[in-house]
Amino acid sequence: MSAHSPHSSSSDSSIWSILNVIIAIAVAGFALFWSFAFLSGSYNQSSGNAKAEAEAAKTAVADATPAAPAAASTEVVEITIKPDLANPLAYDTKEFKVKAGQKVKLTFNNTHPAVPQPHNVVISKPGTKDKLLGLAMAMAAAPDGMAKGFIPDSTDILFKTKLLQPNTTEVIEFTAPAAGDYPYLCTFPGHGMLMNGIMKVE
């Protein structure tokens, strides 16, 4: 002889269902924010998805990094990076600026007339430059370092070119993540100490 009616159990079940949906939306918003940073172009989908992501982002934890604006500029910013003529172990572009949510077309042209060497461009999360330099140096001793193009397995890496041989070019396209200073460097062992720069997202 229970004091609770079936109607009361159904009501409790409904409340938990609603709470589960709210929690799922908050978790999905956080997951979507980081997903677009790893998958080139995944953030710029249909306007329905953009609205859903913007709504989910509002429910995220208050101190979370703000997501890129839902109504990002449709203008594509084009950046070209090459080895520096004066110092072949540095990039000619030490810094470039883009807006959060903006499409970026980055061309890495690995051409140097005097000192041709293999290089790449690897863009990582803010504050991870030293960590990535350490991982890059460790790749020199890794048995599969060359096979992986000396690019470490790290969740801190957001965007990258492959290791390019001299006089070759690669174009990568991505959507700029949330505002911040994103380091980029060559992960060929020893190069990143000088061959690095900052992508400033505003």
Side-chain angles (χ1 to χ4, degrees):
M1 288 179 22
S2 169
H4 296 292
S5 69
H7 177 72
S8 173
S9 294
S10 159
S11 175
D12 289 347
S13 175
S14 295
I15 289 170
W16 280 110
S17 295
I18 291 169
L19 286 174
N20 283 335
V21 169
I22 292 170
I23 292 168
I25 289 172
V27 170
F30 187 75
L32 284 172
F33 167 72
W34 285 110
S35 293
F36 89 89
F38 294 105
L39 300 174
S40 193
S42 68
Y43 184 69
N44 186 26
Q45 294 178 356
S46 69
S47 60
N49 284 344
K51 286 180 184 175
E53 290 173 16
E55 193 61 34
K58 288 179 186 175
T59 63
V61 186
D63 63 332
T65 305
S73 169
T74 56
E75 177 190 353
V76 178
V77 62
E78 296 192 25
I79 308 295
T80 299
I81 299 176
K82 299 183 285 189
D84 191 284
L85 286 174
N87 181 357
L89 284 181
Y91 294 125
D92 68 338
T93 303
K94 281 40 170 205
E95 180 182 301
F96 65 90
K97 294 180 182 179
V98 295
K99 295 187 186 317
Q102 187 172 35
K103 289 190 175 239
V104 180
K105 182 177 179 181
L106 188 150
T107 301
F108 179 46
N109 181 358
N110 187 22
T111 301
H112 193 279
V115 188
Q117 297 218 8
H119 298 299
N120 61 20
V121 176
V122 177
I123 303 173
S124 66
K125 295 176 185 176
T128 60
K129 177 184 170 185
D130 291 341
K131 180 180 176 184
L132 194 55
L133 278 171
L135 291 172
M137 288 303 293
M139 292 296 289
D144 59 350
M146 179 61 98
K148 290 184 173 181
F150 295 108
I151 298 174
D153 292 323
S154 173
T155 56
D156 292 325
I157 295 173
L158 301 179
F159 316 107
K160 64 185 183 301
T161 69
K162 61 182 176 281
L163 184 68
L164 296 183
Q165 293 306 312
N167 303 313
T168 58
T169 299
E170 184 177 355
V171 177
I172 59 173
E173 297 185 42
F174 57 90
T175 300
D181 290 347
Y182 294 78
Y184 61 89
L185 55 94
C186 175
T187 58
F188 191 92
H191 289 191
M193 294 297 292
L194 295 175
M195 202 165 210
N196 60 70
I198 296 288
M199 175 177 74
K200 287 186 170 290
V201 182
E202 301 173 332

mmCIF file with all atom_site columns, all heavy atoms in Angstrom, residues 21-45:
data_model
loop_
_atom_site.group_PDB
_atom_site.id
_atom_site.type_symbol
_atom_site.label_atom_id
_atom_site.label_alt_id
_atom_site.label_comp_id
_atom_site.label_asym_id
_atom_site.label_entity_id
_atom_site.label_seq_id
_atom_site.pdbx_PDB_ins_code
_atom_site.Cartn_x
_atom_site.Cartn_y
_atom_site.Cartn_z
_atom_site.occupancy
_atom_site.B_iso_or_equiv
_atom_site.pdbx_formal_charge
_atom_site.auth_seq_id
_atom_site.auth_comp_id
_atom_site.auth_asym_id
_atom_site.auth_atom_id
_atom_site.pdbx_PDB_model_num
ATOM 1   N N   . VAL A 1 21 ? 17.641 16.873 -20.084 1.00 0.00 ? 21 VAL A N   1
ATOM 2   C CA  . VAL A 1 21 ? 17.726 17.611 -21.347 1.00 0.00 ? 21 VAL A CA  1
ATOM 3   C C   . VAL A 1 21 ? 18.549 18.881 -21.161 1.00 0.00 ? 21 VAL A C   1
ATOM 4   O O   . VAL A 1 21 ? 19.413 19.213 -21.978 1.00 0.00 ? 21 VAL A O   1
ATOM 5   C CB  . VAL A 1 21 ? 16.303 17.953 -21.880 1.00 0.00 ? 21 VAL A CB  1
ATOM 6   C CG1 . VAL A 1 21 ? 16.378 18.946 -23.026 1.00 0.00 ? 21 VAL A CG1 1
ATOM 7   C CG2 . VAL A 1 21 ? 15.597 16.681 -22.332 1.00 0.00 ? 21 VAL A CG2 1
ATOM 8   N N   . ILE A 1 22 ? 18.331 19.611 -20.054 1.00 0.00 ? 22 ILE A N   1
ATOM 9   C CA  . ILE A 1 22 ? 19.085 20.844 -19.779 1.00 0.00 ? 22 ILE A CA  1
ATOM 10  C C   . ILE A 1 22 ? 20.572 20.542 -19.624 1.00 0.00 ? 22 ILE A C   1
ATOM 11  O O   . ILE A 1 22 ? 21.431 21.218 -20.182 1.00 0.00 ? 22 ILE A O   1
ATOM 12  C CB  . ILE A 1 22 ? 18.517 21.555 -18.525 1.00 0.00 ? 22 ILE A CB  1
ATOM 13  C CG1 . ILE A 1 22 ? 17.114 22.104 -18.824 1.00 0.00 ? 22 ILE A CG1 1
ATOM 14  C CG2 . ILE A 1 22 ? 19.438 22.686 -18.082 1.00 0.00 ? 22 ILE A CG2 1
ATOM 15  C CD1 . ILE A 1 22 ? 16.366 22.603 -17.610 1.00 0.00 ? 22 ILE A CD1 1
ATOM 16  N N   . ILE A 1 23 ? 20.899 19.492 -18.861 1.00 0.00 ? 23 ILE A N   1
ATOM 17  C CA  . ILE A 1 23 ? 22.310 19.109 -18.678 1.00 0.00 ? 23 ILE A CA  1
ATOM 18  C C   . ILE A 1 23 ? 22.925 18.701 -20.015 1.00 0.00 ? 23 ILE A C   1
ATOM 19  O O   . ILE A 1 23 ? 24.051 19.074 -20.337 1.00 0.00 ? 23 ILE A O   1
ATOM 20  C CB  . ILE A 1 23 ? 22.427 17.966 -17.639 1.00 0.00 ? 23 ILE A CB  1
ATOM 21  C CG1 . ILE A 1 23 ? 22.051 18.497 -16.241 1.00 0.00 ? 23 ILE A CG1 1
ATOM 22  C CG2 . ILE A 1 23 ? 23.825 17.370 -17.631 1.00 0.00 ? 23 ILE A CG2 1
ATOM 23  C CD1 . ILE A 1 23 ? 21.853 17.424 -15.198 1.00 0.00 ? 23 ILE A CD1 1
ATOM 24  N N   . ALA A 1 24 ? 22.182 17.940 -20.808 1.00 0.00 ? 24 ALA A N   1
ATOM 25  C CA  . ALA A 1 24 ? 22.693 17.494 -22.112 1.00 0.00 ? 24 ALA A CA  1
ATOM 26  C C   . ALA A 1 24 ? 22.983 18.677 -23.024 1.00 0.00 ? 24 ALA A C   1
ATOM 27  O O   . ALA A 1 24 ? 23.987 18.699 -23.743 1.00 0.00 ? 24 ALA A O   1
ATOM 28  C CB  . ALA A 1 24 ? 21.685 16.552 -22.774 1.00 0.00 ? 24 ALA A CB  1
ATOM 29  N N   . ILE A 1 25 ? 22.125 19.718 -22.988 1.00 0.00 ? 25 ILE A N   1
ATOM 30  C CA  . ILE A 1 25 ? 22.345 20.904 -23.825 1.00 0.00 ? 25 ILE A CA  1
ATOM 31  C C   . ILE A 1 25 ? 23.616 21.621 -23.400 1.00 0.00 ? 25 ILE A C   1
ATOM 32  O O   . ILE A 1 25 ? 24.418 22.044 -24.231 1.00 0.00 ? 25 ILE A O   1
ATOM 33  C CB  . ILE A 1 25 ? 21.122 21.850 -23.750 1.00 0.00 ? 25 ILE A CB  1
ATOM 34  C CG1 . ILE A 1 25 ? 19.934 21.223 -24.507 1.00 0.00 ? 25 ILE A CG1 1
ATOM 35  C CG2 . ILE A 1 25 ? 21.451 23.214 -24.349 1.00 0.00 ? 25 ILE A CG2 1
ATOM 36  C CD1 . ILE A 1 25 ? 18.640 21.971 -24.349 1.00 0.00 ? 25 ILE A CD1 1
ATOM 37  N N   . ALA A 1 26 ? 23.829 21.754 -22.070 1.00 0.00 ? 26 ALA A N   1
ATOM 38  C CA  . ALA A 1 26 ? 25.040 22.431 -21.585 1.00 0.00 ? 26 ALA A CA  1
ATOM 39  C C   . ALA A 1 26 ? 26.297 21.672 -21.992 1.00 0.00 ? 26 ALA A C   1
ATOM 40  O O   . ALA A 1 26 ? 27.267 22.251 -22.468 1.00 0.00 ? 26 ALA A O   1
ATOM 41  C CB  . ALA A 1 26 ? 24.974 22.584 -20.067 1.00 0.00 ? 26 ALA A CB  1
ATOM 42  N N   . VAL A 1 27 ? 26.292 20.344 -21.826 1.00 0.00 ? 27 VAL A N   1
ATOM 43  C CA  . VAL A 1 27 ? 27.451 19.525 -22.199 1.00 0.00 ? 27 VAL A CA  1
ATOM 44  C C   . VAL A 1 27 ? 27.668 19.583 -23.709 1.00 0.00 ? 27 VAL A C   1
ATOM 45  O O   . VAL A 1 27 ? 28.799 19.706 -24.184 1.00 0.00 ? 27 VAL A O   1
ATOM 46  C CB  . VAL A 1 27 ? 27.258 18.063 -21.723 1.00 0.00 ? 27 VAL A CB  1
ATOM 47  C CG1 . VAL A 1 27 ? 28.322 17.150 -22.316 1.00 0.00 ? 27 VAL A CG1 1
ATOM 48  C CG2 . VAL A 1 27 ? 27.300 18.006 -20.204 1.00 0.00 ? 27 VAL A CG2 1
ATOM 49  N N   . ALA A 1 28 ? 26.587 19.524 -24.470 1.00 0.00 ? 28 ALA A N   1
ATOM 50  C CA  . ALA A 1 28 ? 26.703 19.578 -25.933 1.00 0.00 ? 28 ALA A CA  1
ATOM 51  C C   . ALA A 1 28 ? 27.285 20.904 -26.388 1.00 0.00 ? 28 ALA A C   1
ATOM 52  O O   . ALA A 1 28 ? 28.108 20.951 -27.312 1.00 0.00 ? 28 ALA A O   1
ATOM 53  C CB  . ALA A 1 28 ? 25.331 19.359 -26.574 1.00 0.00 ? 28 ALA A CB  1
ATOM 54  N N   . GLY A 1 29 ? 26.900 21.999 -25.730 1.00 0.00 ? 29 GLY A N   1
ATOM 55  C CA  . GLY A 1 29 ? 27.454 23.312 -26.089 1.00 0.00 ? 29 GLY A CA  1
ATOM 56  C C   . GLY A 1 29 ? 28.954 23.358 -25.887 1.00 0.00 ? 29 GLY A C   1
ATOM 57  O O   . GLY A 1 29 ? 29.688 23.833 -26.754 1.00 0.00 ? 29 GLY A O   1
ATOM 58  N N   . PHE A 1 30 ? 29.417 22.835 -24.762 1.00 0.00 ? 30 PHE A N   1
ATOM 59  C CA  . PHE A 1 30 ? 30.863 22.820 -24.487 1.00 0.00 ? 30 PHE A CA  1
ATOM 60  C C   . PHE A 1 30 ? 31.582 21.941 -25.501 1.00 0.00 ? 30 PHE A C   1
ATOM 61  O O   . PHE A 1 30 ? 32.624 22.302 -26.039 1.00 0.00 ? 30 PHE A O   1
ATOM 62  C CB  . PHE A 1 30 ? 31.092 22.319 -23.066 1.00 0.00 ? 30 PHE A CB  1
ATOM 63  C CG  . PHE A 1 30 ? 32.519 22.427 -22.615 1.00 0.00 ? 30 PHE A CG  1
ATOM 64  C CD1 . PHE A 1 30 ? 33.055 23.661 -22.271 1.00 0.00 ? 30 PHE A CD1 1
ATOM 65  C CD2 . PHE A 1 30 ? 33.332 21.302 -22.544 1.00 0.00 ? 30 PHE A CD2 1
ATOM 66  C CE1 . PHE A 1 30 ? 34.371 23.763 -21.861 1.00 0.00 ? 30 PHE A CE1 1
ATOM 67  C CE2 . PHE A 1 30 ? 34.641 21.404 -22.137 1.00 0.00 ? 30 PHE A CE2 1
ATOM 68  C CZ  . PHE A 1 30 ? 35.159 22.643 -21.793 1.00 0.00 ? 30 PHE A CZ  1
ATOM 69  N N   . ALA A 1 31 ? 30.996 20.761 -25.790 1.00 0.00 ? 31 ALA A N   1
ATOM 70  C CA  . ALA A 1 31 ? 31.615 19.833 -26.749 1.00 0.00 ? 31 ALA A CA  1
ATOM 71  C C   . ALA A 1 31 ? 31.651 20.428 -28.151 1.00 0.00 ? 31 ALA A C   1
ATOM 72  O O   . ALA A 1 31 ? 32.648 20.298 -28.862 1.00 0.00 ? 31 ALA A O   1
ATOM 73  C CB  . ALA A 1 31 ? 30.839 18.510 -26.760 1.00 0.00 ? 31 ALA A CB  1
ATOM 74  N N   . LEU A 1 32 ? 30.583 21.105 -28.536 1.00 0.00 ? 32 LEU A N   1
ATOM 75  C CA  . LEU A 1 32 ? 30.557 21.728 -29.867 1.00 0.00 ? 32 LEU A CA  1
ATOM 76  C C   . LEU A 1 32 ? 31.610 22.803 -30.004 1.00 0.00 ? 32 LEU A C   1
ATOM 77  O O   . LEU A 1 32 ? 32.264 22.943 -31.044 1.00 0.00 ? 32 LEU A O   1
ATOM 78  C CB  . LEU A 1 32 ? 29.171 22.335 -30.144 1.00 0.00 ? 32 LEU A CB  1
ATOM 79  C CG  . LEU A 1 32 ? 28.082 21.334 -30.492 1.00 0.00 ? 32 LEU A CG  1
ATOM 80  C CD1 . LEU A 1 32 ? 26.733 22.028 -30.540 1.00 0.00 ? 32 LEU A CD1 1
ATOM 81  C CD2 . LEU A 1 32 ? 28.379 20.655 -31.809 1.00 0.00 ? 32 LEU A CD2 1
ATOM 82  N N   . PHE A 1 33 ? 31.821 23.585 -28.937 1.00 0.00 ? 33 PHE A N   1
ATOM 83  C CA  . PHE A 1 33 ? 32.826 24.652 -28.986 1.00 0.00 ? 33 PHE A CA  1
ATOM 84  C C   . PHE A 1 33 ? 34.204 24.083 -29.293 1.00 0.00 ? 33 PHE A C   1
ATOM 85  O O   . PHE A 1 33 ? 34.932 24.572 -30.147 1.00 0.00 ? 33 PHE A O   1
ATOM 86  C CB  . PHE A 1 33 ? 32.838 25.410 -27.653 1.00 0.00 ? 33 PHE A CB  1
ATOM 87  C CG  . PHE A 1 33 ? 34.025 26.312 -27.504 1.00 0.00 ? 33 PHE A CG  1
ATOM 88  C CD1 . PHE A 1 33 ? 34.108 27.468 -28.257 1.00 0.00 ? 33 PHE A CD1 1
ATOM 89  C CD2 . PHE A 1 33 ? 35.071 25.989 -26.664 1.00 0.00 ? 33 PHE A CD2 1
ATOM 90  C CE1 . PHE A 1 33 ? 35.205 28.303 -28.142 1.00 0.00 ? 33 PHE A CE1 1
ATOM 91  C CE2 . PHE A 1 33 ? 36.172 26.811 -26.544 1.00 0.00 ? 33 PHE A CE2 1
ATOM 92  C CZ  . PHE A 1 33 ? 36.233 27.980 -27.290 1.00 0.00 ? 33 PHE A CZ  1
ATOM 93  N N   . TRP A 1 34 ? 34.583 23.001 -28.591 1.00 0.00 ? 34 TRP A N   1
ATOM 94  C CA  . TRP A 1 34 ? 35.920 22.440 -28.806 1.00 0.00 ? 34 TRP A CA  1
ATOM 95  C C   . TRP A 1 34 ? 35.990 21.641 -30.095 1.00 0.00 ? 34 TRP A C   1
ATOM 96  O O   . TRP A 1 34 ? 37.047 21.558 -30.725 1.00 0.00 ? 34 TRP A O   1
ATOM 97  C CB  . TRP A 1 34 ? 36.330 21.580 -27.615 1.00 0.00 ? 34 TRP A CB  1
ATOM 98  C CG  . TRP A 1 34 ? 36.693 22.459 -26.470 1.00 0.00 ? 34 TRP A CG  1
ATOM 99  C CD1 . TRP A 1 34 ? 36.004 22.622 -25.313 1.00 0.00 ? 34 TRP A CD1 1
ATOM 100 C CD2 . TRP A 1 34 ? 37.808 23.355 -26.388 1.00 0.00 ? 34 TRP A CD2 1
ATOM 101 N NE1 . TRP A 1 34 ? 36.616 23.553 -24.511 1.00 0.00 ? 34 TRP A NE1 1
ATOM 102 C CE2 . TRP A 1 34 ? 37.730 24.023 -25.146 1.00 0.00 ? 34 TRP A CE2 1
ATOM 103 C CE3 . TRP A 1 34 ? 38.861 23.678 -27.232 1.00 0.00 ? 34 TRP A CE3 1
ATOM 104 C CZ2 . TRP A 1 34 ? 38.656 24.960 -24.734 1.00 0.00 ? 34 TRP A CZ2 1
ATOM 105 C CZ3 . TRP A 1 34 ? 39.784 24.612 -26.820 1.00 0.00 ? 34 TRP A CZ3 1
ATOM 106 C CH2 . TRP A 1 34 ? 39.674 25.235 -25.587 1.00 0.00 ? 34 TRP A CH2 1
ATOM 107 N N   . SER A 1 35 ? 34.868 21.043 -30.510 1.00 0.00 ? 35 SER A N   1
ATOM 108 C CA  . SER A 1 35 ? 34.877 20.254 -31.740 1.00 0.00 ? 35 SER A CA  1
ATOM 109 C C   . SER A 1 35 ? 35.233 21.098 -32.957 1.00 0.00 ? 35 SER A C   1
ATOM 110 O O   . SER A 1 35 ? 36.023 20.698 -33.800 1.00 0.00 ? 35 SER A O   1
ATOM 111 C CB  . SER A 1 35 ? 33.500 19.617 -31.976 1.00 0.00 ? 35 SER A CB  1
ATOM 112 O OG  . SER A 1 35 ? 33.243 18.669 -30.985 1.00 0.00 ? 35 SER A OG  1
ATOM 113 N N   . PHE A 1 36 ? 34.676 22.309 -33.039 1.00 0.00 ? 36 PHE A N   1
ATOM 114 C CA  . PHE A 1 36 ? 34.945 23.113 -34.242 1.00 0.00 ? 36 PHE A CA  1
ATOM 115 C C   . PHE A 1 36 ? 36.400 23.544 -34.298 1.00 0.00 ? 36 PHE A C   1
ATOM 116 O O   . PHE A 1 36 ? 36.951 23.793 -35.364 1.00 0.00 ? 36 PHE A O   1
ATOM 117 C CB  . PHE A 1 36 ? 33.989 24.315 -34.348 1.00 0.00 ? 36 PHE A CB  1
ATOM 118 C CG  . PHE A 1 36 ? 34.471 25.558 -33.667 1.00 0.00 ? 36 PHE A CG  1
ATOM 119 C CD1 . PHE A 1 36 ? 35.257 26.483 -34.350 1.00 0.00 ? 36 PHE A CD1 1
ATOM 120 C CD2 . PHE A 1 36 ? 34.135 25.819 -32.361 1.00 0.00 ? 36 PHE A CD2 1
ATOM 121 C CE1 . PHE A 1 36 ? 35.701 27.630 -33.728 1.00 0.00 ? 36 PHE A CE1 1
ATOM 122 C CE2 . PHE A 1 36 ? 34.578 26.969 -31.735 1.00 0.00 ? 36 PHE A CE2 1
ATOM 123 C CZ  . PHE A 1 36 ? 35.357 27.870 -32.412 1.00 0.00 ? 36 PHE A CZ  1
ATOM 124 N N   . ALA A 1 37 ? 37.059 23.600 -33.132 1.00 0.00 ? 37 ALA A N   1
ATOM 125 C CA  . ALA A 1 37 ? 38.476 23.978 -33.130 1.00 0.00 ? 37 ALA A CA  1
ATOM 126 C C   . ALA A 1 37 ? 39.350 22.880 -33.730 1.00 0.00 ? 37 ALA A C   1
ATOM 127 O O   . ALA A 1 37 ? 40.405 23.158 -34.261 1.00 0.00 ? 37 ALA A O   1
ATOM 128 C CB  . ALA A 1 37 ? 38.920 24.288 -31.708 1.00 0.00 ? 37 ALA A CB  1
ATOM 129 N N   . PHE A 1 38 ? 38.901 21.627 -33.649 1.00 0.00 ? 38 PHE A N   1
ATOM 130 C CA  . PHE A 1 38 ? 39.695 20.515 -34.153 1.00 0.00 ? 38 PHE A CA  1
ATOM 131 C C   . PHE A 1 38 ? 39.314 20.115 -35.564 1.00 0.00 ? 38 PHE A C   1
ATOM 132 O O   . PHE A 1 38 ? 40.126 19.538 -36.279 1.00 0.00 ? 38 PHE A O   1
ATOM 133 C CB  . PHE A 1 38 ? 39.558 19.294 -33.237 1.00 0.00 ? 38 PHE A CB  1
ATOM 134 C CG  . PHE A 1 38 ? 40.136 19.521 -31.884 1.00 0.00 ? 38 PHE A CG  1
ATOM 135 C CD1 . PHE A 1 38 ? 39.328 19.729 -30.784 1.00 0.00 ? 38 PHE A CD1 1
ATOM 136 C CD2 . PHE A 1 38 ? 41.502 19.580 -31.701 1.00 0.00 ? 38 PHE A CD2 1
ATOM 137 C CE1 . PHE A 1 38 ? 39.869 19.967 -29.536 1.00 0.00 ? 38 PHE A CE1 1
ATOM 138 C CE2 . PHE A 1 38 ? 42.048 19.821 -30.462 1.00 0.00 ? 38 PHE A CE2 1
ATOM 139 C CZ  . PHE A 1 38 ? 41.231 20.011 -29.379 1.00 0.00 ? 38 PHE A CZ  1
ATOM 140 N N   . LEU A 1 39 ? 38.112 20.382 -35.958 1.00 0.00 ? 39 LEU A N   1
ATOM 141 C CA  . LEU A 1 39 ? 37.675 19.961 -37.289 1.00 0.00 ? 39 LEU A CA  1
ATOM 142 C C   . LEU A 1 39 ? 37.545 21.174 -38.181 1.00 0.00 ? 39 LEU A C   1
ATOM 143 O O   . LEU A 1 39 ? 36.688 22.004 -37.991 1.00 0.00 ? 39 LEU A O   1
ATOM 144 C CB  . LEU A 1 39 ? 36.329 19.224 -37.199 1.00 0.00 ? 39 LEU A CB  1
ATOM 145 C CG  . LEU A 1 39 ? 36.354 17.972 -36.324 1.00 0.00 ? 39 LEU A CG  1
ATOM 146 C CD1 . LEU A 1 39 ? 34.966 17.405 -36.185 1.00 0.00 ? 39 LEU A CD1 1
ATOM 147 C CD2 . LEU A 1 39 ? 37.288 16.941 -36.917 1.00 0.00 ? 39 LEU A CD2 1
ATOM 148 N N   . SER A 1 40 ? 38.405 21.244 -39.137 1.00 0.00 ? 40 SER A N   1
ATOM 149 C CA  . SER A 1 40 ? 38.463 22.412 -40.019 1.00 0.00 ? 40 SER A CA  1
ATOM 150 C C   . SER A 1 40 ? 37.129 22.607 -40.726 1.00 0.00 ? 40 SER A C   1
ATOM 151 O O   . SER A 1 40 ? 36.639 21.723 -41.403 1.00 0.00 ? 40 SER A O   1
ATOM 152 C CB  . SER A 1 40 ? 39.573 22.184 -41.039 1.00 0.00 ? 40 SER A CB  1
ATOM 153 O OG  . SER A 1 40 ? 39.867 23.360 -41.703 1.00 0.00 ? 40 SER A OG  1
ATOM 154 N N   . GLY A 1 41 ? 36.557 23.792 -40.530 1.00 0.00 ? 41 GLY A N   1
ATOM 155 C CA  . GLY A 1 41 ? 35.326 24.156 -41.219 1.00 0.00 ? 41 GLY A CA  1
ATOM 156 C C   . GLY A 1 41 ? 34.059 23.591 -40.619 1.00 0.00 ? 41 GLY A C   1
ATOM 157 O O   . GLY A 1 41 ? 32.975 23.842 -41.125 1.00 0.00 ? 41 GLY A O   1
ATOM 158 N N   . SER A 1 42 ? 34.153 22.804 -39.525 1.00 0.00 ? 42 SER A N   1
ATOM 159 C CA  . SER A 1 42 ? 32.948 22.185 -38.997 1.00 0.00 ? 42 SER A CA  1
ATOM 160 C C   . SER A 1 42 ? 32.023 23.181 -38.317 1.00 0.00 ? 42 SER A C   1
ATOM 161 O O   . SER A 1 42 ? 30.849 22.931 -38.148 1.00 0.00 ? 42 SER A O   1
ATOM 162 C CB  . SER A 1 42 ? 33.315 21.070 -38.007 1.00 0.00 ? 42 SER A CB  1
ATOM 163 O OG  . SER A 1 42 ? 33.904 21.628 -36.859 1.00 0.00 ? 42 SER A OG  1
ATOM 164 N N   . TYR A 1 43 ? 32.583 24.331 -37.913 1.00 0.00 ? 43 TYR A N   1
ATOM 165 C CA  . TYR A 1 43 ? 31.758 25.314 -37.208 1.00 0.00 ? 43 TYR A CA  1
ATOM 166 C C   . TYR A 1 43 ? 30.779 26.027 -38.142 1.00 0.00 ? 43 TYR A C   1
ATOM 167 O O   . TYR A 1 43 ? 29.692 26.388 -37.761 1.00 0.00 ? 43 TYR A O   1
ATOM 168 C CB  . TYR A 1 43 ? 32.671 26.322 -36.506 1.00 0.00 ? 43 TYR A CB  1
ATOM 169 C CG  . TYR A 1 43 ? 31.905 27.326 -35.678 1.00 0.00 ? 43 TYR A CG  1
ATOM 170 C CD1 . TYR A 1 43 ? 31.254 26.942 -34.522 1.00 0.00 ? 43 TYR A CD1 1
ATOM 171 C CD2 . TYR A 1 43 ? 31.829 28.660 -36.070 1.00 0.00 ? 43 TYR A CD2 1
ATOM 172 C CE1 . TYR A 1 43 ? 30.552 27.856 -33.760 1.00 0.00 ? 43 TYR A CE1 1
ATOM 173 C CE2 . TYR A 1 43 ? 31.129 29.575 -35.311 1.00 0.00 ? 43 TYR A CE2 1
ATOM 174 C CZ  . TYR A 1 43 ? 30.502 29.161 -34.162 1.00 0.00 ? 43 TYR A CZ  1
ATOM 175 O OH  . TYR A 1 43 ? 29.814 30.066 -33.414 1.00 0.00 ? 43 TYR A OH  1
ATOM 176 N N   . ASN A 1 44 ? 31.187 26.205 -39.395 1.00 0.00 ? 44 ASN A N   1
ATOM 177 C CA  . ASN A 1 44 ? 30.352 26.971 -40.324 1.00 0.00 ? 44 ASN A CA  1
ATOM 178 C C   . ASN A 1 44 ? 29.405 26.033 -41.047 1.00 0.00 ? 44 ASN A C   1
ATOM 179 O O   . ASN A 1 44 ? 29.684 25.560 -42.117 1.00 0.00 ? 44 ASN A O   1
ATOM 180 C CB  . ASN A 1 44 ? 31.243 27.721 -41.322 1.00 0.00 ? 44 ASN A CB  1
ATOM 181 C CG  . ASN A 1 44 ? 30.433 28.625 -42.207 1.00 0.00 ? 44 ASN A CG  1
ATOM 182 O OD1 . ASN A 1 44 ? 29.363 29.055 -41.815 1.00 0.00 ? 44 ASN A OD1 1
ATOM 183 N ND2 . ASN A 1 44 ? 30.940 28.895 -43.389 1.00 0.00 ? 44 ASN A ND2 1
ATOM 184 N N   . GLN A 1 45 ? 28.272 25.721 -40.431 1.00 0.00 ? 45 GLN A N   1
ATOM 185 C CA  . GLN A 1 45 ? 27.276 24.849 -41.023 1.00 0.00 ? 45 GLN A CA  1
ATOM 186 C C   . GLN A 1 45 ? 26.020 25.663 -41.281 1.00 0.00 ? 45 GLN A C   1
ATOM 187 O O   . GLN A 1 45 ? 26.086 26.871 -41.428 1.00 0.00 ? 45 GLN A O   1
ATOM 188 C CB  . GLN A 1 45 ? 27.001 23.674 -40.082 1.00 0.00 ? 45 GLN A CB  1
ATOM 189 C CG  . GLN A 1 45 ? 28.229 22.773 -39.934 1.00 0.00 ? 45 GLN A CG  1
ATOM 190 C CD  . GLN A 1 45 ? 27.994 21.634 -38.973 1.00 0.00 ? 45 GLN A CD  1
ATOM 191 O OE1 . GLN A 1 45 ? 26.945 21.542 -38.363 1.00 0.00 ? 45 GLN A OE1 1
ATOM 192 N NE2 . GLN A 1 45 ? 28.967 20.774 -38.850 1.00 0.00 ? 45 GLN A NE2 1
#
